[in-house]
Amino acid sequence: MHLRHYYRHQNKISRPLFYLLLFILAFLFLIWWNSLTENVVEMPHRQRLPPPPIFKKFRQNSKFELDENNQMTFKEEPDNPPPPPLMPVAVPPPKKANVVQVTIYMEAQCPDTTGFIRRQLLPSWSRLSSTRRLNITLVPFGKASCVAEEDDYKCDCQHGKDECELNQLMNCAIEHLPDPESHIPLIGCVQGKDNLIAAFRSCLNGHSSSDL
């Protein structure tokens, strides 16, 4: 009695398990089938594939000929590709020449300034001015002091009144003859003169009063 009840109860439990396993197997089969169909690539009907590269080369670089037995043969010609086009060469722009900036603070009757201008500045300028690589700025003032006096200034120079007048003459030359080729030789001539009269007689013969 007990054994019959046990087997009946066992059959009731195993049947649902069987259906569950069957459902799981069917589900796994569907997943596997979908994965196969996704990887399939449809090919167009009777698609023409391009010829292999060797045939393409054969058509382009071969020549048919007849031999002595009237048999058709082909002779492959060597590849003679055209030379590559010449590429333009980029030429870098010329480098800007270095220009030496020189500023000279001077006074008209200083012996040291006179020696420097006559023995160093003027010879160097005559050699290098044509290269345009030397830019000289002259400041004729020196050890002077100026105070405002009405609409003008009153200046006291280290070597006296004549030096102040010669400094003024040099500054006028720089203002009215801005080209260094014009005012540097003129200032070099005025430098070291005793007074304005000597400077006019020696250095300003080639210039009119309108120039200054």
Side-chain angles (χ1 to χ4, degrees):
M1 185 69 181
H2 293 288
L3 291 175
R4 184 181 300 175
H5 179 73
Y6 172 78
Y7 284 118
R8 184 181 300 174
H9 183 70
Q10 187 72 17
N11 291 333
K12 290 181 180 179
I13 296 176
S14 60
R15 185 174 296 175
L17 289 176
F18 173 77
Y19 289 128
L20 178 61
L21 291 174
L22 185 62
F23 176 78
I24 293 174
L25 290 175
F27 181 76
L28 293 176
F29 177 79
L30 290 176
I31 294 176
W32 173 74
W33 181 258
N34 289 332
S35 64
L36 289 179
T37 56
E38 288 177 358
N39 295 329
V40 174
V41 179
E42 294 185 0
M43 297 293 292
H45 182 63
R46 299 182 66 181
Q47 181 180 5
R48 295 187 61 183
L49 299 177
I54 187 172
F55 293 149
K56 186 176 181 181
K57 182 178 179 181
F58 172 78
R59 290 199 303 267
Q60 292 178 352
N61 301 327
S62 60
K63 182 179 180 181
F64 289 96
E65 295 180 353
L66 293 176
D67 58 5
E68 298 177 354
N69 299 325
N70 292 329
Q71 298 293 329
M72 183 177 292
T73 60
F74 72 92
K75 180 180 179 182
E76 187 173 354
E77 297 179 353
D79 293 332
N80 294 318
L86 297 178
M87 299 299 293
V89 179
V91 179
K95 295 183 179 180
K96 186 177 181 180
N98 294 328
V99 178
V100 179
Q101 304 287 340
V102 179
T103 302
I104 301 173
Y105 296 88
M106 53 183 292
E107 48 189 1
Q109 291 184 333
C110 174
D112 294 332
T113 303
T114 302
F116 167 76
I117 289 179
R118 292 180 180 177
R119 290 193 294 267
Q120 298 184 38
L121 176 63
L122 292 180
S124 300
W125 176 254
S126 63
R127 293 179 182 179
L128 301 176
S129 61
S130 60
T131 64
R132 300 294 181 181
R133 300 183 67 176
L134 181 62
N135 188 10
I136 296 179
T137 302
L138 299 178
V139 183
F141 188 78
K143 296 180 180 179
S145 59
C146 297
V147 294
E149 188 176 279
E150 296 180 356
D151 296 336
D152 202 353
Y153 288 89
K154 181 180 180 181
C155 298
D156 293 328
C157 297
Q158 183 181 8
H159 299 92
K161 180 181 178 181
D162 290 332
E163 184 178 68
C164 285
E165 292 177 350
L166 293 174
N167 287 343
Q168 290 177 353
L169 177 61
M170 292 179 179
N171 283 288
C172 288
I174 294 173
E175 181 179 357
H176 294 280
L177 301 173
D179 186 5
E181 293 282 352
S182 300
H183 69 251
I184 287 181
L186 177 59
I187 291 176
C189 179
V190 173
Q191 177 65 35
K193 293 296 186 288
D194 294 333
N195 48 48
L196 279 178
I197 296 176
F200 272 99
R201 288 177 179 176
S202 301
C203 307
L204 298 177
N205 289 331
H207 298 276
S208 62
S209 59
S210 60
D211 294 337
L212 302 178

